[in-house]
Amino acid sequence: AQRVTQPEKLLSVFKGAPVELKCNYSYSGSPELFWYVQYSRQRLQLLLRHISRESIKGFTADLNKGETSFHLKKPFAQEEDSAMYYCATIQGAQKLVFGQGTRLTINP
Amino acid sequence: EPEVTQTPSHQVTQMGQEVILRCVPISNHLYFYWYRQILGQKVEFLVSFYNNEISEKSEIFDDQFSVERPDGSNFTLKIRSTKLEDSAMYFCASSTGTYPLEQYFGPGTRLTVT
């Protein structure tokens, strides 16, 4: 079964500092990977999908097949980035498999 | 922008009681899902539903659970005889089923079993 691992439950950085949220996956083929975000008192929403190679709210994520990673990065953190971030992959018939989640806190 | 809605936002029930959690998916979506998140744990897949039948279910989704699309808009999750360990946040999601496979989530129903 495919799995995603987010090794950090909590991450705290200062405003303006770079942010990297780690995600590693276990899958030998070509995975479909996503980052979902949940702001306080809001629903889970899609932030990024690896296939589109886009930048959303200043965040990017690159698929590294050699390291089986899909880390989420932002060069300059903002206070409104504080949220829970979940890495996820699609398995089987559109079943999302989530990592444990990382709570990101941006300190002023 | 259309959104997935869920009712109620919080449900408290006694162990052994039946509960029905309701969801209204986005209207042109064809695939529907239920996930749950026990406090402090990861979001877990329960079941996916397409064309009026279950397309996939997890080992969590045992005989105590059932899903239904009773009309053209609602999608329900029923737990027949709730246990303490069913206490969790339950999320409904829907998708078009076509690439890029994005699932849109509802705000969740917090189920507390006492």
Side-chain angles (χ1 to χ4, degrees), chain B residues 5-108:
Chain B
T5 59
Q6 288 184 243
T7 53
S9 56
H10 190 191
Q11 173 92 45
V12 181
T13 190
Q14 288 191 322
M15 197 167 51
Q17 295 296 303
E18 175 184 285
V19 292
I20 297 177
L21 309 183
R22 300 178 196 281
C23 169
V24 179
I26 294 173
S27 63
N28 64 335
H29 286 186
L30 301 176
Y31 287 78
F32 315 113
Y33 314 85
W34 283 100
Y35 293 83
R36 80 169 185 192
Q37 186 176 31
I38 294 171
L39 189 64
Q41 298 186 24
K42 62 171 71 176
V43 178
E44 300 173 289
F45 170 81
L46 289 177
V47 66
S48 59
F49 191 85
Y50 170 71
N51 200 26
N52 279 320
E53 58 183 35
I54 290 173
S55 49
E56 189 170 354
K57 62 182 181 178
S58 72
E59 59 191 26
I60 303 167
F61 195 88
D62 61 22
D63 292 344
Q64 292 300 311
F65 291 88
S66 62
V67 288
E68 197 177 30
R69 190 154 160 83
D71 52 43
S73 58
N74 289 285
F75 178 53
T76 62
L77 173 70
K78 185 196 293 188
I79 310 175
R80 286 191 185 80
S81 178
T82 49
K83 306 185 192 83
L84 294 175
E85 54 264 36
D86 294 327
S87 294
M89 197 75 171
Y90 288 80
F91 295 104
C92 174
S94 68
S95 74
T96 60
T98 56
Y99 210 78
L101 306 174
E102 180 172 353
Q103 294 183 21
Y104 294 79
F105 282 79

Side-chain angles (χ1 to χ4, degrees), chain A:
Chain A
Q2 296 170 55
R3 280 186 14 214
V4 289
T5 305
Q6 293 179 251
E8 303 142 326
K9 277 194 165 181
L10 303 169
L11 182 63
S12 182
V13 302
F14 285 103
K15 179 180 166 183
V19 172
E20 182 178 68
L21 293 101
K22 293 185 168 50
C23 172
N24 290 90
Y25 64 90
S26 63
Y27 184 57
S28 57
S30 292
E32 297 279 352
L33 288 159
F34 306 84
W35 277 99
Y36 277 80
V37 62
Q38 188 173 29
Y39 300 104
S40 180
R41 297 192 188 88
Q42 294 187 30
R43 63 190 67 207
L44 270 167
Q45 54 188 282
L46 181 67
L47 180 63
L48 285 177
R49 57 180 78 90
H50 91 273
I51 200 71
S52 54
R53 303 179 66 81
E54 58 202 337
S55 172
I56 303 290
K57 299 185 180 183
F59 284 96
T60 57
D62 290 319
L63 178 62
N64 185 323
K65 289 189 178 180
E67 295 182 359
T68 60
S69 68
F70 187 56
H71 302 330
L72 184 68
K73 298 177 185 178
K74 183 168 182 176
F76 307 105
Q78 297 170 292
E79 286 185 67
E80 54 264 33
D81 296 328
S82 294
M84 278 294 290
Y85 290 81
Y86 295 95
C87 185
T89 186
I90 287 279
Q91 180 177 319
Q94 305 198 13
K95 162 185 165 182
L96 273 172
V97 175
F98 287 89
Q100 192 77 12
T102 298
R103 181 172 296 283
L104 176 65
T105 302
I106 309 299
N107 299 307

